[in-house]
Amino acid sequence: MRKKYGNLGIYIVLLIFSFFFLLPIYMLLATSFKPLVEIGMGSMWLLPKQPSLEGFTDSIKRLSPNLLNSFLLVIPATIFSCILGSINGYIFSKIRFRGINLLFMCVLFGMFIPYQSVLFPLIQFLQEIKLYGTIWGLIITHVIYGLPITTLIFRNYYMEVPDEMLEAAGIDGAGLFKSYFLILFPLSIPGFVVAVIWQFTNIWNEFLFAVTITSDPKKQPITVALVNLAGSQMVQWNLQMAGAVVAAIPTLLVYIFLGKYFIRGLMSGSVKG
Amino acid sequence: MKKFTVLMCAILIAFVAFGSQVEIFSWWTGGGEEAGLLALIKLYNQLYPGVQVINATVAGGAGTNAKAVLKTRMLGGNPPDSFQVHAGMELSDTYVIPGKMEPITNYLKEWGMYDKFPEDIMKICSYEGEVYSIPVNVHRGNVVFYNTAIAKEIGMTTAPKTWKEFFGLLEKAQKAGYVAISLGDTGKWTATHLFENVMLSQFGPYKYNMLWTGDQTFNHVALTEAFEIMKKIVPYFNKDHAAGDWQDASRLIFEKKAFCNVMGDWAEGYFKEMGWTPGKEFGWFAVPETDVAFMIVSDTFGLPKGAPNKENALRWLKLVGSVEGQDLFNPLKGSIPARVDADKSKYDVYLQWAMADFSVKALSPSIAHGSAAPESFATMLNDILNRFVSDVNVNQAVKSVLEAAEEEGYLVK
Amino acid sequence: MHKKKKWLGFLIISPTLVVIGVFVYGFIGATVRASLSDWNSFRKLLSGEFVFSGLRNYERLFADWRFQTDMWNTLFFTVFFLFGCLLIGLILAALLDRNLKGGRIFQSIFLFPMALSLVVTGTVWRWFFAPGILPNDPAGVNVLLGQVGLKSLQWGWFTVTDTIGPFNLALVPVIIAAVWQLSGYTMAMYLAGLRAIPESMTEAARVDGASGWQIFWKVKWPFLKPITLSAMIILGHISLKIFDLVYSMTGSGPKNVTDMPSIYMFEKTFRSNRYAEGSAIAVIMLLMVAVVIIPYLVSTLRKSD
């Protein structure tokens, strides 16, 4: 009996938290269904009086080409950065030589730089290699600046795999590559889930690089197009909020489908620093 | 990946098929301004069907992002063929002085356009005697918009001409339980926008304009008086002014919560979008004691050096400078044409008022909108005003403005 | 280990090292160099001519009241943001670590904010905390407070300029928004940590008669300590360079009460064309991050050796 009431208490606390977590989401949704005239700071809690799908139809129409761009950007960038991160993580966790930890530290530090500070040199570089203004330029940027975090995730993950497993394979004559592909790689799924979720959400939602590297609207990813929905002077908030909902759907799907594995992936060692 | 290849091929084919192109860079991505831009592009396509127009836009933050992108591109020697820029110092200080722009005076003369714009605006668009950009539109900055219902309630019969009359009205509006004057300064520039108009009223357009040419010192009692007036305005603001932008401030008028606000005439476009008719639900008058002047906010297009498609860029400039182009763009954007020979019948009653004033009043360049001073000065002034609105310390503010002006090389002695 | 293997390993990571060397350290180098130059106008920057001007840009910044405010703001923001995320993350994880029915749904709700772009949530939170014109015409959350009879809690939120010492109270709503966005992530980390604790250990403690509270502190917490540390690092570096959220939510605020170094840097560099001073801010931000991160990196790597 006691346990049952205990759970009830927990449910109440969880519901209260959920309420607070969902309040802003409610506002987002309510606004996206309102016609422009009903939108104001004083009336934001009210449900739409005359619900309209205008915000959604308009924003979908305007955002769909950029949705495609975002996929063309996020999918390769996520795949490349995760694979490279996995290989790096393997070397950094399983090969020992003098100074390798220092090197790892140097790689890791790249995660912490404020990106605004590299904007000028980065763009000049992309212009040099003729990739400025292209999705590939953006992909390269995200892969490079994603390397530290993916390397970290995989290194920590592989640290948990006992060295003996690899050594056993080494005795059987497996080389560096073989032991990676035969032993570590098949074990890496949870690590990949964590890295993929992290990279996918970050790259999908990233704005600064996207806006500075691509200026042709036909090539811009969705975050830029979303901000573009607003003019420089007037903002149609229903369009903006509906667009925000549309733009969030892919990342939400990733969370819903991979969410279960996310915690499991974090469990398998990658949370430790 | 396959889709990507297909896309790339499609783009390549498009290049081959059209042969030539022109890249137009702007921050017009939404609402009437986008409609105006698209109409111009459509007209361009009709006139020059062989040219593909790349409509490069970067939105957000009233052009802040676009300016950042443009700077990095210009720095990397990768300019667009033509780009949107505010008339005046925003162009001159940033791009003309470093030698990144082509003068277009001769083209204007060749196209017979040079004398079709008011002399004052050509002066703003020029540096050392050469014109560097063509103004496509003009907004008026020194306008007070007000809710006519509230005006009636508080017994306003004629537009206030002096600050004294204006403060009388503000007092009445506040007593009647309204916000007297609304402001939304999240983005900081709105406070500067208001202040530059107060400055204009105290210096007068003649002296105000000479501040920027170095012929008038900032160290003048008018500056102190401007801050004194500003100090008197502050208590009439909505208390939550830091929570919103100009649109929220205009919204307060629309909702009959605020009597008036000082804004550029894009606010008129906003009221119309909300379903109001100019002159009926909302009225307007020039900011007190600035009736003799017209604070200019103007978008222009220029020709960067090394534009990859110079011929096509010139065609674009010719189009935006033509009567046809200006009368196509401006009614959609809700601004007035920079040319004096445009067709008045295409504009609403408010814009006709602005047009009439534009051709006869003294034109003064805006600080907040990049025309009068370099962007660094405008940014410093933003910070000074942002602080002033909270602590209303006149001496401190005057001192800071003088320091900022000295740093930019303006007259302060 | 074979020598050959070591060399091969080094060879495999060398592309990464080169790329990071250029894109991180090379660019940092360029930024440091710029911060020591006189590139404080676009003309000087374009000319590319390097005139060494020592630490003048830094001196100017430290004398600048706006920058001083920024430093305090970053400090307080980081401290409270970390504390909030860790606390709420821990509470939620502890509650969800019981395999409740519907636990997955709650889990998704709490992770949900992470999926949204900061640019969007910033706007939503601006509306949420927009105070309206108090007392008669409240907006946002003040409306809700009024409706549930908590009128006394109605407040100006991020528009106030009140302070406690150097702490700007206007930061409170910004901190709440940031905690909302990232406490789900801390929850996931803690949850993973809790689930990794062998059942037998908690069971043994229970048999010994330990209370739930004691079990948590004596048995579970030691497992969660390293997780807390890595969460602090991840959250800490997010907060030290936070930009999107604050920029779209409150901007600098009245009297810069919610200003951050990243916003000032963006304005200096891209609005005022003061590239050298902007670079100096970037370098200072980098140093702040380094002060926090490097000791942590060194200590964890020592341990793993």
Side-chain angles (χ1 to χ4, degrees):
Chain A
M1 261 331 261
R2 207 184 135 230
K3 186 146 194 221
K4 211 170 187 182
Y5 283 119
N7 276 352
L8 189 69
I10 289 171
Y11 275 116
I12 291 173
V13 177
L14 283 174
L15 281 173
I16 293 173
F17 270 109
S18 305
F19 174 75
F20 285 113
F21 268 77
L22 291 175
L23 260 186
I25 309 289
Y26 163 77
M27 204 160 79
L28 185 70
L29 285 173
T31 309
S32 59
F33 284 107
K34 283 178 190 173
L36 191 59
V37 203
E38 284 184 35
I39 301 170
M41 285 199 173
S43 58
M44 68 183 100
W45 296 111
L46 304 176
L47 281 168
K49 282 182 204 114
Q50 290 169 313
S52 102
L53 281 173
E54 204 185 323
F56 279 96
T57 47
D58 276 13
S59 61
I60 289 172
K61 199 171 79 197
R62 295 184 51 162
L63 292 178
S64 45
N66 304 90
L67 209 58
L68 178 69
N69 287 342
S70 272
F71 281 114
L72 290 175
L73 158 70
V74 172
I75 293 170
T78 306
I79 292 175
F80 288 136
S81 60
C82 289
I83 289 177
L84 289 173
S86 158
I87 295 169
N88 287 333
Y90 164 50
I91 303 294
F92 280 120
S93 63
K94 295 298 172 205
I95 307 287
R96 297 266 145 254
F97 56 79
R98 263 176 76 93
I100 190 164
N101 275 345
L102 188 70
L103 286 178
F104 176 64
M105 238 178 74
C106 294
V107 171
L108 201 53
F109 190 68
M111 185 174 138
F112 302 109
I113 58 169
Y115 294 130
Q116 292 99 328
S117 67
V118 298
L119 225 46
F120 269 115
L122 173 71
I123 284 167
Q124 278 172 314
F125 179 84
L126 289 174
Q127 281 168 343
E128 285 291 316
I129 61 170
K130 302 276 174 238
L131 281 179
Y132 179 76
T134 65
I135 291 184
W136 279 103
L138 208 48
I139 291 175
I140 288 179
T141 310
H142 280 299
V143 169
I144 291 172
Y145 290 109
L147 277 177
I149 181 86
T150 52
T151 304
L152 171 74
I153 290 172
F154 283 103
R155 175 185 174 272
N156 288 347
Y157 182 70
Y158 293 147
M159 292 290 263
E160 303 286 302
V161 177
D163 285 357
E164 293 79 36
M165 272 176 86
L166 291 178
E167 275 159 25
I171 292 163
D172 291 344
L176 210 53
F177 292 101
K178 248 190 180 166
S179 50
Y180 172 72
F181 282 109
L182 291 180
I183 299 180
L184 271 186
F185 192 74
L187 288 173
S188 308
I189 303 298
F192 269 101
V193 170
V194 178
V196 163
I197 289 192
W198 184 269
Q199 283 297 86
F200 191 97
T201 359
N202 273 352
I203 301 172
W204 187 273
N205 287 332
E206 201 276 339
F207 180 70
L208 185 73
F209 285 144
V211 75
T212 39
I213 292 175
T214 54
S215 50
D216 182 350
K218 292 194 192 87
K219 293 179 192 157
Q220 283 164 345
I222 192 151
T223 37
V224 183
L226 186 63
V227 177
N228 275 355
L229 283 181
S232 65
Q233 291 182 338
M234 208 181 117
V235 184
Q236 287 173 296
W237 287 113
N238 51 348
L239 196 64
Q240 194 78 23
M241 297 287 166
V245 175
V246 173
I249 290 173
T251 38
L252 280 183
L253 290 179
V254 168
Y255 269 95
I256 289 168
F257 287 115
L258 295 180
K260 201 164 65 185
Y261 304 99
F262 184 52
I263 305 233
R264 209 176 289 165
L266 285 173
M267 254 169 86
S268 339
S270 39
V271 282
K272 296 195 195 138
Chain B
M1 205 57 55
K2 201 171 170 189
K3 262 186 184 158
F4 184 73
T5 330
V6 174
L7 193 79
M8 286 311 281
C9 288
I11 291 171
L12 268 179
I13 291 166
F15 282 170
V16 176
F18 287 102
S20 78
Q21 46 176 326
V22 61
E23 185 187 5
I24 309 298
F25 185 94
S26 77
W27 59 83
W28 286 327
T29 56
E33 41 193 34
E34 188 193 22
L37 178 65
L38 293 179
L40 280 180
I41 289 174
K42 204 173 149 199
L43 181 61
Y44 190 94
N45 280 334
Q46 281 165 11
L47 293 172
Y48 313 103
V51 185
Q52 186 207 8
V53 182
I54 301 175
N55 176 19
T57 46
V58 176
T64 320
N65 297 330
K67 287 174 201 165
V69 173
L70 184 65
K71 275 170 201 168
T72 51
R73 288 188 59 173
M74 296 292 275
L75 192 68
N78 184 15
D81 292 307
S82 184
F83 59 85
Q84 174 198 0
V85 64
H86 285 136
M89 282 311 274
E90 191 176 303
L91 178 69
S92 311
D93 179 67
T94 309
Y95 299 119
V96 175
I97 299 174
K100 286 279 159 179
M101 302 300 292
E102 297 259 10
I104 52 171
T105 324
N106 289 335
Y107 296 111
L108 286 178
K109 284 181 177 153
E110 187 189 315
W111 301 330
M113 284 179 191
Y114 188 75
D115 50 357
K116 297 293 189 299
F117 296 93
E119 208 183 307
D120 281 352
I121 200 169
M122 280 288 116
K123 241 189 241 160
I124 293 173
C125 292
S126 302
Y127 181 75
E128 292 186 341
E130 292 278 1
V131 182
Y132 283 92
S133 67
I134 297 189
V136 53
N137 68 346
V138 170
H139 280 294
R140 186 172 194 176
N142 56 329
V143 190
V144 181
F145 290 96
Y146 64 92
N147 183 311
T148 45
I150 299 181
K152 211 169 160 192
E153 255 179 75
I154 61 172
M156 174 181 138
T157 45
T158 52
K161 290 277 175 219
T162 64
W163 285 108
K164 206 176 157 220
E165 286 171 43
F166 186 62
F167 281 121
L169 288 172
L170 292 186
E171 189 58 34
K172 277 186 201 159
Q174 197 174 51
K175 285 246 166 71
Y178 298 106
V179 170
I181 180 165
S182 63
L183 177 75
D185 64 348
T186 306
K188 288 189 181 174
W189 62 265
T190 47
T192 310
H193 180 108
L194 170 56
F195 179 72
E196 70 184 9
N197 286 313
V198 181
M199 243 174 99
L200 178 65
S201 77
Q202 295 309 294
F203 278 95
Y206 183 69
K207 281 184 181 161
Y208 172 89
N209 290 0
M210 286 204 305
L211 285 172
W212 317 113
T213 52
D215 299 311
Q216 165 66 44
T217 172
F218 273 77
N219 197 351
H220 188 278
V221 64
L223 183 66
T224 317
E225 273 165 6
F227 275 112
E228 290 291 350
I229 289 177
M230 202 56 193
K231 188 178 175 179
K232 275 192 217 157
I233 298 177
V234 170
Y236 293 110
F237 287 146
N238 41 315
K239 268 188 270 173
D240 66 337
H241 58 84
D245 49 27
W246 72 268
Q247 199 169 317
D248 299 310
S250 304
R251 175 98 198 174
L252 287 176
I253 296 177
F254 176 75
E255 287 173 346
K256 210 185 166 205
K257 289 175 183 168
F259 166 53
C260 70
N261 87 338
V262 173
M263 195 30 64
D265 50 20
W266 43 92
E268 194 244 359
Y270 173 78
F271 291 131
K272 274 167 69 180
E273 183 85 12
M274 304 303 283
W276 273 12
T277 316
K280 200 166 153 231
E281 290 94 348
F282 70 100
W284 59 86
F285 49 85
V287 170
E289 298 172 33
T290 67
D291 194 36
V292 290
F294 188 109
M295 185 70 87
I296 280 195
V297 180
S298 172
D299 292 299
T300 68
F301 280 91
L303 183 64
K305 261 188 196 150
N309 306 286
K310 192 177 166 190
E311 280 311 304
N312 292 336
L314 285 171
R315 288 166 169 174
W316 170 259
L317 293 179
K318 194 175 169 187
L319 175 71
V320 300
S322 67
V323 177
E324 200 185 2
Q326 302 227 326
D327 277 343
L328 188 64
F329 179 81
N330 286 301
L332 289 167
K333 158 115 168 113
S335 47
I336 64 171
R339 285 178 74 120
V340 285
D341 55 351
D343 180 1
K344 282 205 173 56
S345 69
K346 290 193 167 147
Y347 299 84
D348 70 28
V349 36
Y350 167 79
L351 291 173
Q352 283 176 7
W353 172 77
M355 281 166 96
D357 275 4
F358 178 63
S359 49
V360 295
K361 307 242 151 132
L363 304 183
S364 290
S366 156
I367 312 166
H369 304 280
S371 295
E375 289 173 288
S376 47
F377 183 78
T379 317
M380 282 189 273
L381 195 59
N382 280 346
D383 272 348
I384 295 167
L385 262 300
N386 180 267
R387 192 177 185 180
F388 181 80
V389 169
S390 320
D391 66 13
V392 291
N393 184 338
V394 174
N395 290 336
Q396 168 76 39
V398 169
K399 196 174 142 252
S400 306
V401 170
L402 291 181
E403 278 168 13
E406 187 171 13
E407 197 165 311
E408 291 297 335
Y410 292 125
L411 207 57
V412 291
K413 288 277 143 48
Chain C
M1 208 174 280
H2 301 294
K3 210 164 185 179
K4 199 181 120 195
K5 220 170 177 182
K6 289 182 186 176
W7 275 110
L8 194 59
F10 183 71
L11 207 66
I12 293 172
I13 53 171
S14 55
T16 303
L17 297 179
V18 170
V19 162
I20 295 286
V22 173
F23 280 74
V24 174
Y25 294 95
F27 290 179
I28 289 177
T31 308
V32 172
R33 182 168 177 263
S35 75
L36 301 173
S37 73
D38 71 336
W39 292 340
N40 277 324
S41 76
F42 203 63
R43 180 169 43 87
K44 285 182 182 154
L45 177 60
L46 271 175
S47 77
E49 204 179 306
F50 183 81
V51 178
F52 183 74
S53 58
L55 294 174
R56 229 189 39 211
N57 295 310
Y58 292 92
E59 281 162 14
R60 261 188 75 118
L61 279 177
F62 282 108
D64 181 348
W65 76 280
R66 178 170 173 188
F67 189 70
Q68 291 162 2
T69 317
D70 290 354
M71 298 303 277
W72 282 114
N73 285 350
T74 309
L75 178 73
F76 287 113
F77 178 81
T78 304
V79 169
F80 290 117
F81 165 69
L82 279 181
F83 182 73
C85 280
L86 294 176
L87 185 69
I88 290 180
L90 191 59
I91 293 174
L92 293 178
L95 292 176
L96 285 174
D97 182 38
R98 301 170 180 236
N99 295 321
L100 292 175
K101 242 190 191 153
R104 287 262 294 120
I105 298 174
F106 286 114
Q107 209 171 294
S108 304
I109 291 176
F110 301 141
L111 274 176
F112 183 70
M114 264 191 79
L116 293 168
S117 142
L118 286 165
V119 180
V120 174
T121 51
T123 312
V124 173
W125 280 106
R126 172 152 74 89
W127 286 23
F128 190 93
F129 282 118
I133 303 155
L134 297 172
N136 296 325
D137 187 20
V141 69
N142 283 343
V143 176
L144 290 190
L145 288 173
Q147 276 166 358
V148 296
L150 292 171
K151 235 178 154 61
S152 54
L153 287 184
Q154 287 183 346
W155 191 45
W157 301 106
F158 61 86
T159 65
V160 298
T161 50
D162 305 331
T163 56
I164 299 178
F167 174 54
N168 285 311
L169 288 175
L171 282 172
V172 170
V174 186
I175 292 165
I176 293 177
V179 168
W180 174 82
Q181 188 104 25
L182 279 151
S183 53
Y185 181 70
T186 3
M187 172 207 72
M189 288 180 82
Y190 276 130
L191 203 50
L194 286 171
R195 293 200 175 147
I197 298 171
E199 192 81 10
S200 56
M201 288 189 69
T202 46
E203 207 44 54
R206 200 164 286 136
V207 171
D208 288 348
S211 69
W213 197 239
Q214 280 169 331
I215 291 176
F216 185 83
W217 280 116
K218 296 270 162 64
V219 181
K220 293 185 176 169
W221 180 244
F223 277 91
L224 299 181
K225 259 196 205 152
I227 295 178
T228 308
L229 198 60
S230 40
M232 280 173 77
I233 294 303
I234 290 183
L235 297 172
H237 96 272
I238 290 176
S239 90
L240 287 175
K241 57 185 193 187
I242 192 144
F243 178 73
D244 296 7
L245 179 74
V246 188
Y247 194 64
S248 58
M249 181 175 168
T250 62
S252 306
K255 262 181 123 175
N256 297 316
V257 284
T258 60
D259 201 39
M260 294 287 162
S262 56
I263 296 179
Y264 199 21
M265 184 205 144
F266 189 81
E267 275 190 20
K268 277 266 182 222
T269 311
F270 292 112
R271 283 220 55 196
S272 312
N273 297 328
R274 295 187 162 270
Y275 186 55
E277 279 176 32
S279 301
I281 300 180
V283 172
I284 294 169
M285 285 168 69
L286 205 64
L287 286 176
M288 291 194 303
V289 172
V291 165
V292 179
I293 303 293
I294 289 177
Y296 162 78
L297 289 180
V298 172
S299 77
T300 43
L301 290 175
R302 281 242 176 87
K303 246 179 261 159
S304 67
D305 269 342

